[in-house]
Amino acid sequence: MSEENAPRKTRAIPWGVVFAVASLVSLAALAYYYSYNRQLGTERTRLIKERAALTAELAEDYGALRGRIEPWAVAMATQPWPGDLVDPDARTLTWRDRPTVYLRLRVADTTTNELAHANAKVSSLDGLSACLLRSKGPGPWAYGDIASRAEFLGADFIRDVKETRNDLRLRQLTYALDQYKLKDFPEARDGCKLSEFAVIVLDEDPAQVPSQSALFGANASMHQKILATDHPIRFSLRRLADGRELLRLRRTPSATIMQVAGDPTANAAGLEVRKLQALGCAMANEALELAGHKGGADLAAIPPPLPALSVSVAPSASASAAPPASASAAASASASK
């Protein structure tokens, strides 16, 4: 038999080497897995502790602010309207320049503390606050903005931090907390700590609620639909330090928007914005006039987001007494008498 036809010897598999390499790879994988999970656990713990520390820092001031403003709003909405009030401290008008928190709600959305809180979180500053308040320092703040920022990254955030096994997701949560500490938390903290006065405004439903809103679209809430209509508005100014009510009134301001010849034509949404601003400023003027300031605030001082329109504001019908808000339609009817 020739060498070419001789059977080749099969080399034995070095199982010892294979097992050794496999063991090293497994050990490396286990070490990486242990280190990976340890890092995730450390980061989870850090995020939870930092969020808890921020909550604790804000809890007392936010709790005190919420414990005043929301019950005041509910009392305004549910108790018989006691009539106009002007405290001597309101006549100085110094409160206009001081840090103030502002809340505006619909009467029918403010019948309980829970309902008031839920609706307050979507409230914001508007034309009324812009004409009324002229703080030269911090503020004014929308109470809804303070509440939303104070409660941001709450239970859902903590649960997500605890349950995620994805390092990319954890980095996203870390970024969210870093941004919260940089932007949202300071605003909530300052609003709670620095506010000296509270302005609470409640809108009663008009006799006929519009079926739609060109400004807020198909998903407009009932409150958004009535803002640009003539309707009774309840107003209260309180000092936060002692809870004393300094100014209280109920009026039905009105305003007419007219297109000025030669100016670009504003669309329906634009007209609604301008009407909303005009009504808010008219109500601010009512409050200032009751406090003794005859000049009022100037709507023109607010930069309009639309082509210039002529705004005529009519004196409102005084409505210093009204029945309880349990039937807003009845309240509206009584205001028009």
Side-chain angles (χ1 to χ4, degrees):
M1 183 180 293
S2 64
E3 293 182 359
E4 294 180 356
N5 295 328
R8 296 180 180 179
K9 294 182 179 181
T10 302
R11 299 182 61 181
I13 297 176
W15 291 110
V17 175
V18 172
F19 287 138
V21 171
S23 298
L24 289 174
V25 171
S26 299
L27 287 173
L30 287 173
Y32 174 78
Y33 181 77
Y34 173 78
S35 175
Y36 174 79
N37 279 278
R38 185 178 181 181
Q39 290 177 359
L40 287 183
T42 301
E43 185 66 3
R44 283 195 199 93
T45 302
R46 184 186 72 83
L47 292 179
I48 293 172
K49 284 184 177 180
E50 286 194 10
R51 186 63 187 93
L54 294 174
T55 300
E57 182 179 346
L58 194 60
E60 183 176 354
D61 293 320
Y62 175 54
L65 184 66
R66 179 180 174 183
R68 293 187 182 100
I69 290 185
E70 292 177 14
W72 288 341
V74 172
M76 282 178 63
T78 58
Q79 295 178 7
W81 188 252
D84 288 356
L85 169 71
V86 186
D87 188 278
D89 287 351
R91 296 188 181 280
T92 65
L93 297 179
T94 54
W95 51 269
R96 296 185 69 194
D97 301 321
R98 305 306 301 162
T100 301
V101 60
Y102 176 83
L103 173 62
R104 186 169 185 176
L105 294 170
R106 175 172 167 250
V107 168
D109 294 336
T110 320
T111 53
T112 66
N113 287 339
E114 294 75 16
L115 194 59
H117 182 68
N119 288 286
K121 292 174 71 174
V122 297
S123 65
S124 62
L125 298 175
D126 54 23
L128 197 162
S129 62
C131 285
L132 182 74
L133 306 172
R134 55 184 187 186
S135 176
K136 299 175 182 177
W141 295 274
Y143 175 73
D145 194 35
I146 293 175
S148 296
R149 291 175 187 268
E151 298 176 16
F152 187 53
L153 299 186
D156 290 342
F157 173 80
I158 298 300
R159 184 177 61 253
D160 207 356
V161 169
K162 290 180 177 179
E163 294 179 357
T164 186
R165 295 294 180 265
N166 187 305
D167 61 338
L168 178 59
R169 176 57 180 160
L170 198 60
R171 285 198 294 268
Q172 293 173 341
L173 296 172
T174 300
Y175 178 79
L177 183 59
D178 289 341
Q179 291 299 302
Y180 176 75
K181 291 189 295 184
L182 181 66
K183 300 177 181 179
D184 298 286
F185 179 77
E187 286 292 320
R189 178 196 58 208
D190 292 348
C192 291
K193 285 182 174 292
L194 303 180
S195 292
E196 298 177 15
F197 295 92
V199 170
I200 302 174
V201 177
L202 298 183
D203 296 283
E204 298 179 17
D205 289 352
Q208 184 174 359
V209 176
S211 60
Q212 59 186 0
S213 167
L215 173 60
F216 295 103
N219 296 323
S221 67
M222 190 70 73
H223 192 198
Q224 290 169 335
K225 291 177 181 178
I226 69 173
L227 286 175
T229 65
D230 294 359
H231 62 279
I233 300 176
R234 306 179 186 189
F235 177 100
S236 176
L237 166 70
R238 287 183 180 268
R239 186 166 49 213
L240 288 170
D242 57 8
R244 187 178 182 86
E245 191 169 31
L246 305 180
L247 189 64
R248 181 178 66 235
L249 66 151
R250 178 178 179 271
R251 299 288 188 271
T252 305
S254 61
T256 302
I257 307 297
M258 297 177 291
Q259 180 69 43
V260 178
D263 284 338
T265 301
N267 58 25
L271 291 172
E272 189 172 332
V273 169
R274 201 62 173 149
K275 179 68 176 294
L276 189 156
Q277 290 178 328
L279 288 174
C281 204
M283 187 62 191
N285 285 340
E286 294 280 1
L288 294 174
E289 182 177 351
L290 183 62
H293 181 59
K294 300 299 182 182
D298 185 6
L299 180 61
I302 305 174
L306 310 165
L309 298 170
S310 175
V311 179
S312 62
V313 179
S316 70
S318 177
S320 58
S326 57
S328 57
S332 302
S334 67
S336 63
K337 294 181 180 179

